[in-house]
C-alpha cells in the first residue's frame, strides 16, 4: 500500500470554480480574490482580510505596515518553519528566538524575559493548528507597554508591541468560542498546497486592529502596498477609461491571482462544513490508537480553551534519540507510508547557526524535534489506510525501541 503524506483536496467544485475563472478571461487579481477575502471574513469573523501570494509575504507585509526594520527586534519561537524568521530578516529586523513549551508552542515565560525596548513585535506560531496561549501573551504585552518606544504614526496609535500570529497551520482552530484571527492584531493564514485550505500557493492577512485604527482603511492601504503601491489593480484599470493610476508607496508585488483564489473560493465553505470535521475524525482515530501505547506522546487536540485545526498529527516517541527517530521513519517508509518531521528547529539550520543561534539554548525545542514524527492526515484517507498507517508505525517503533 502506498500512502502519500499530504495530497491537496481537489473535488469537482474546485475544478468548476477554476474553470469559471479561466473562462472569464480574467486570471490575475480580481473578483475571485475579493470573493475569497469576503468568505474568510464571513467564516473567521475578522473585519477585513487581504489575500496575498504566500503567508511569508503576509508576515513581511504586516511587519512593514508597522514600520519594523533595522534596529528592531521581533520575538519568534525557535521551533517553526524558516519563513517566520525570514520574514523578520527580509524587513531588516532581528529575530529573537525563544524556546517553546511541551505542546510545541512558544513559551510565554520566555517571551516575557526576551522583551526589550527594541521589541516591536511578537510572532507566535500556532504549531500544527494548536493555538498559542494568547491570553497570557496579550497580558505580557500590556505589562511591557512602558518599554515600548514608538517611532512612527502607526506605532504611536497602537502604542505597544504588535501581536502578529503566524497561523499558517491553523485556519479553523478555536481559542475559546472564537476562530483564530480574533486573538491577535494581525493573523496570517497559509493557503499553500499542503495546508487545510489551499490556493496552491497563497496566504491571507486578517486584520483585527483595535481603535483608533479603522480596519477598512488599513485594508485599503495594505491592498495598495501589495500591488507595488499602485492605486488601481489591473482589473480596475482594465475598465473603460480606467487606465490612469498613481504609485504612492514603495510597495511589494505579492498579490494573489484569481485563478488561484478560485480554488480557495470552492474549498473554504466545504472546509468549514465537512473537511475540518473529517480531519478531526482522523485525529481522534490516531489518539484512540496511540493512547494505548506506553511509548507514545500524543499531540494536543482539545482543551477547555483550545481546539486544534488538526493540520498535523505530531506524534512523539518517548525517550528516543534523533538517530532512532530517523531509523523508525525509514522503517515506516519501507512500508509505503509517507511520514515527515515538523520542524527542524531554526538553530539547527546553517543560516541561523551562522548568525550565532545555538540549539543548546533551546532544549525543549530540540527534545520535541528529536522524537517527532508527523503522520498523514487528510480527508481522502480511508479506514483501511488509517489502520495500515498505525500498524506500520507501531511495528516500526517497536522494532527500534
Amino acid at each position: 500500500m502506498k500512502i502519500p503524506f499530504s495530497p491537496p483536496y481537489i473535488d469537482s467544485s474546485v475544478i468548476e470554480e477554476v474553470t469559471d475563472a479561466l473562462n472569464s478571461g480574467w486570471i490575475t487579481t480580481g473578483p475571485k480574490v475579493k470573493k475569497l477575502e469576503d468568505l474568510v471574513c464571513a467564516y473567521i469573523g475578522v473585519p477585513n482580510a487581504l489575500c496575498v501570494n504566500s503567508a511569508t509575504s503576509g508576515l513581511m507585509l504586516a511587519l512593514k505596515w508597522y514600520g519594523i526594520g533595522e534596529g528592531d527586534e521581533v520575538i519568534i519561537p525557535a521551533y517553526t518553519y524558516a519563513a517566520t524568521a525570514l520574514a523578520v530578516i527580509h524587513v531588516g529586523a532581528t529575530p529573537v528566538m525563544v524556546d517553546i513549551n511541551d505542546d510545541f508552542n512558544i513559551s510565554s515565560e520566555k517571551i516575557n524575559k526576551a522583551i526589550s525596548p527594541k521589541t516591536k513585535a511578537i510572532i507566535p506560531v500556532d504549531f500544527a493548528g494548536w493555538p498559542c496561549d494568547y491570553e497570557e501573551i496579550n497580558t505580557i504585552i500590556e505589562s511591557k507597554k512602558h518599554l515600548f518606544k514608538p517611532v512612527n504614526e502607526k506605532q504611536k496609535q497602537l502604542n505597544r508591541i504588535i501581536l502578529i500570529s503566524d497561523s499558517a497551520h491553523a485556519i479553523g482552530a478555536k481559542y475559546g468560542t472564537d476562530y483564530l484571527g480574533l486573538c491577535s492584531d494581525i493573523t496570517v493564514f497559509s493557503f499553500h498546497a499542503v495546508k487545510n485550505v489551499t490556493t496552491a500557493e497563497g496566504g491571507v492577512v486578517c486584520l483585527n486592529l483595535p481603535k483608533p485604527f479603522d480596519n477598512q482603511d488599513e485594508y485599503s492601504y495594505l491592498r495598495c502596498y501589495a500591488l507595488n503601491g499602485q492605486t488601481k489593480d489591473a482589473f480596475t484599470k482594465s475598465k473603460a477609461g480606467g487606465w490612469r493610476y498613481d504609485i504612492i508607496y514603495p510597495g511589494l508585488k505579492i498579490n494573489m491571482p484569481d485563478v488561484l483564489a478560485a480554488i480557495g473560493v470552492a474549498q473554504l465553505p466545504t472546509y468549514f462544513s465537512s473537511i475540518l470535521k473529517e480531519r478531526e475524525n482522523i485525529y481522534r482515530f490516531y489518539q484512540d490508537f496511540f493512547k494505548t501505547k506506553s511509548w507514545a506522546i500524543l499531540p494536543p487536540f482539545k482543551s477547555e480553551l483550545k481546539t486544534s485545526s488538526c493540520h498535523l498529527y505530531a506524534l512523539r516517541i518517548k525517550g528516543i534519540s534523533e538517530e532512532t527517530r530517523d531509523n523508525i521513519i525509514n522503517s515506516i517508509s519501507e512500508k509505503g507510508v509517507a511520514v515527515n518531521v515538523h520542524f527542524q528547529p531554526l538553530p539547527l539550520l546553517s543560516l541561523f547557526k551562522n548568525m550565532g543561534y545555538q540549539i543548546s539554548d533551546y532544549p525543549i525545542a530540540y527534545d520535541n524535534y528529536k522524537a517527532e514524527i508527523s503522520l498523514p492526515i487528510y480527508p481522502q484517507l480511508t479506514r483501511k489506510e488509517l489502520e495500515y498507517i498505525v500498524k506500520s508505525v507501531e511495528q516500526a517503533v517497536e522494532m527500534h525501541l
Side-chain angles (χ1 to χ4, degrees), residues 28 30 40 54 134 178 218 247 253 312 314 322 327 336 340 346 349 362 373:
T28 190
V40 169
S54 73
Y134 283 105
D178 295 326
E218 302 308 329
I247 300 292
K253 182 63 168 65
L312 298 172
E322 188 177 346
N327 289 334
N340 213 321
L346 300 182
L349 304 174
Y362 312 97
I373 303 172

Side-chain angles (χ1 to χ4, degrees), residues 290-297 317-318 398 401:
F290 290 113
K291 72 182 180 184
T292 66
K293 309 302 172 186
S294 60
W295 41 260
I297 303 173
I317 315 301
K318 289 179 184 176
E398 294 181 356
L401 285 183

Side-chain angles (χ1 to χ4, degrees), residues 251-358:
L252 302 169
K253 182 63 168 65
I254 57 172
N255 56 301
M256 178 187 286
D258 263 26
V259 70
L260 297 188
I263 304 172
V265 166
Q267 276 203 355
L268 200 68
T270 307
Y271 177 68
F272 280 98
S273 66
S274 62
I275 295 175
L276 182 54
K277 292 174 185 174
E278 291 174 30
R279 298 184 78 98
E280 289 179 352
N281 289 338
I282 294 168
Y283 209 98
R284 284 193 186 91
F285 177 88
Y286 285 149
Q287 296 285 75
D288 289 344
F289 182 86
F290 290 113
K291 72 182 180 184
T292 66
K293 309 302 172 186
S294 60
W295 41 260
I297 303 173
L298 275 56
F301 177 27
K302 289 190 177 186
S303 70
E304 289 184 8
L305 187 61
K306 304 177 185 181
T307 303
S308 176
S309 70
C310 302
H311 174 59
L312 298 172
Y313 190 84
L315 179 69
R316 282 173 288 165
I317 315 301
K318 289 179 184 176
I320 62 170
S321 66
E322 188 177 346
E323 181 182 11
T324 299
R325 188 273 313 278
D326 293 349
N327 289 334
I328 291 169
I329 287 175
N330 289 337
S331 295
I332 297 169
S333 299
E334 287 170 2
K335 295 179 180 295
V337 177
V339 294
N340 213 321
V341 174
H342 292 87
F343 293 103
Q344 296 181 76
L346 300 182
L348 290 177
L349 304 174
S350 296
L351 171 66
F352 303 106
K353 282 183 187 177
N354 294 337
M355 291 173 67
Y357 298 98
Q358 299 178 38

Side-chain angles (χ1 to χ4, degrees), residues 157-169:
Q157 281 183 275
L158 191 59
N159 198 34
R160 59 167 170 79
I161 295 165
I162 190 169
L163 185 58
I164 303 171
S165 288
D166 181 342
S167 296
H169 294 178

Side-chain angles (χ1 to χ4, degrees), residues 56-70:
T56 310
S57 297
L59 291 171
M60 289 174 58
L61 183 61
L63 292 166
K64 281 182 170 290
W65 172 84
Y66 204 49
I68 294 173
E70 188 174 349

Side-chain angles (χ1 to χ4, degrees), residues 36-255:
L36 181 55
E37 291 173 349
D38 290 344
L39 283 170
V40 169
C41 291
Y43 281 100
I44 301 298
V46 292
N48 293 91
L50 176 75
C51 286
V52 288
N53 66 349
S54 73
T56 310
S57 297
L59 291 171
M60 289 174 58
L61 183 61
L63 292 166
K64 281 182 170 290
W65 172 84
Y66 204 49
I68 294 173
E70 188 174 349
D72 295 329
E73 294 179 348
V74 178
I75 296 172
I76 66 169
Y79 203 104
T80 182
Y81 182 60
T84 314
L86 292 176
V88 177
I89 292 169
H90 285 321
V91 302
T94 301
V96 175
M97 296 181 197
V98 301
D99 210 353
I100 57 170
N101 299 318
D102 185 63
D103 67 356
F104 293 93
N105 282 347
I106 193 167
S107 163
S108 299
E109 179 185 351
K110 299 295 185 183
I111 289 173
N112 192 44
K113 291 179 179 177
I115 290 173
S116 79
K118 294 182 178 181
T119 306
K120 290 293 192 294
I122 297 169
I123 306 181
V125 177
D126 303 302
F127 176 81
W130 181 245
C132 292
D133 295 320
Y134 283 105
E135 189 173 345
E136 292 178 14
I137 295 170
N138 278 301
T139 298
I140 290 167
I141 289 173
E142 194 65 27
S143 73
K144 298 288 186 175
K145 284 182 74 170
H146 64 284
L147 293 176
F148 187 75
K149 298 180 178 179
V151 296
N152 59 47
E153 192 57 37
K154 293 193 191 302
Q155 291 181 12
K156 288 175 183 176
Q157 281 183 275
L158 191 59
N159 198 34
R160 59 167 170 79
I161 295 165
I162 190 169
L163 185 58
I164 303 171
S165 288
D166 181 342
S167 296
H169 294 178
I171 192 164
K174 281 190 171 183
Y175 189 86
T177 58
D178 295 326
Y179 286 115
L180 288 191
L182 297 171
C183 299
S184 304
D185 301 305
I186 298 176
T187 300
V188 180
F189 296 112
S190 174
F191 291 150
H192 179 262
V194 301
K195 297 303 190 291
N196 289 18
V197 175
T198 185
T199 56
E201 292 284 356
V204 63
V205 180
C206 295
L207 301 181
N208 184 45
L209 296 162
K211 292 180 179 180
F213 292 102
D214 182 306
N215 284 281
Q216 179 61 43
D217 288 348
E218 302 308 329
Y219 164 83
S220 298
Y221 171 90
L222 291 171
R223 186 170 184 267
C224 179
Y225 204 103
L227 279 163
N228 290 323
Q230 183 173 288
T231 53
K232 290 182 181 179
D233 62 25
F235 186 75
T236 305
K237 283 167 59 184
S238 72
K239 301 300 182 185
W243 61 272
R244 192 181 297 276
Y245 65 91
D246 196 6
I247 300 292
I248 54 176
Y249 310 120
L252 302 169
K253 182 63 168 65
I254 57 172
N255 56 301

